[in-house]
Amino acid sequence: MERASWTYEIPPAGADAAGLEDYEVETAGGEVVGKVVVTLARGDELLVAVESGIPPAVRKVNAVRWEDVAEIDHDSLRVHLREGALDRAVALDSSEAV
């Protein structure tokens, strides 16, 4: 998995959701792998930052490219990923979040 070397902005703790924040993220196989932290725009690219693990002990954040999002279900608050999306994701360093 590629590792990002850039910083990224997350909403402040306790902030109201402005988009997909807190939606559950599900693989193509139906496994829930985390929740959306924020959507990120980096140049012309749009990414979805997905947090997995149990904070604060184990916290991983991966950025999934928008083209790897298969469907967004606003009724069930879920983001469904395409097959192999997590393999193509970019690992974000949580210490680079601002």
Side-chain angles (χ1 to χ4, degrees):
M1 178 179 294
E2 179 185 348
R3 295 195 63 76
S5 60
W6 32 270
T7 61
Y8 58 101
E9 188 173 353
I10 59 171
D16 290 334
L20 300 176
E21 291 89 355
D22 295 328
Y23 276 41
E24 288 189 325
V25 178
E26 190 175 281
T27 65
E31 177 187 359
V32 175
V33 292
K35 69 175 187 170
V36 175
V37 178
V38 68
T39 53
L40 304 167
R42 186 163 191 277
D44 292 338
E45 191 171 35
L46 186 61
L47 304 123
V48 178
V50 178
E51 180 181 63
S52 59
I54 302 170
V58 179
R59 180 175 179 231
K60 295 189 301 185
V61 181
N62 296 312
V64 176
R65 291 171 175 85
W66 188 257
E67 57 265 17
D68 280 325
V69 173
E71 177 186 10
I72 299 171
D73 186 341
H74 295 288
D75 293 330
S76 67
L77 304 178
R78 287 198 178 209
V79 173
H80 302 275
L81 300 178
R82 297 188 190 286
E83 186 72 38
L86 293 177
D87 295 331
R88 293 183 293 275
V90 177
L92 299 178
D93 185 341
S94 59
S95 70
E96 295 293 333
V98 292

